[in-house]
Amino acid sequence: MGNQAQRKFIDSLSIGAFEIFDLQPSHGGRISELMEKYADLPMDLADASLVILAEHLGHGRILSTDQRDFNTYRWKNRHHA
C-alpha cells in the first residue's frame, strides 16, 4: 500500500483512533513461556506480544494478517487469540 497508507495509519494514531499497548518488563516471563510453547510454529516476539495483549484485554479481538499461525495460539489456554 506504500508510504501514503503508512502515513494515514500514523495520522490516525495522532487523532486517537487507537491505542498502542505498552509491553512491560513483567511480561517477559510470559512471552518467553509462549515462545517456548509454540516453538514448532515458531512463535516470534510480535506474535507473543499480541497474545499478551489479548490476555490483557480479556478478549481475542486482535487484528492480524497472520491468520495461519495466529488462529493456533491460545490466550489463557482457552481462547483463540
Side-chain angles (χ1 to χ4, degrees):
M1 290 195 226
N3 192 355
Q4 184 177 6
Q6 293 173 40
R7 286 194 325 265
K8 284 182 180 182
F9 175 76
I10 293 301
D11 289 345
S12 66
L13 171 63
S14 67
I15 62 169
F18 59 90
E19 296 178 37
I20 295 178
F21 181 67
D22 188 17
L23 283 175
Q24 300 295 313
S26 61
H27 294 127
R30 179 69 173 136
I31 288 171
S32 182
E33 177 185 314
L34 288 165
M35 291 174 75
E36 183 173 333
K37 179 177 181 176
Y38 294 105
D40 58 323
L41 290 177
M43 175 184 266
D44 61 17
L45 176 60
D47 292 337
S49 298
L50 291 176
V51 173
I52 295 294
L53 174 58
E55 291 176 348
H56 173 80
L57 293 173
H59 60 72
R61 294 185 310 261
I62 306 295
L63 176 64
S64 174
T65 59
D66 187 6
Q67 294 299 315
R68 182 185 59 113
D69 289 344
F70 211 69
N71 283 332
T72 303
Y73 305 143
R74 303 275 179 179
W75 58 277
K76 295 188 179 181
N77 297 319
R78 296 185 314 251
H79 308 283
H80 287 287

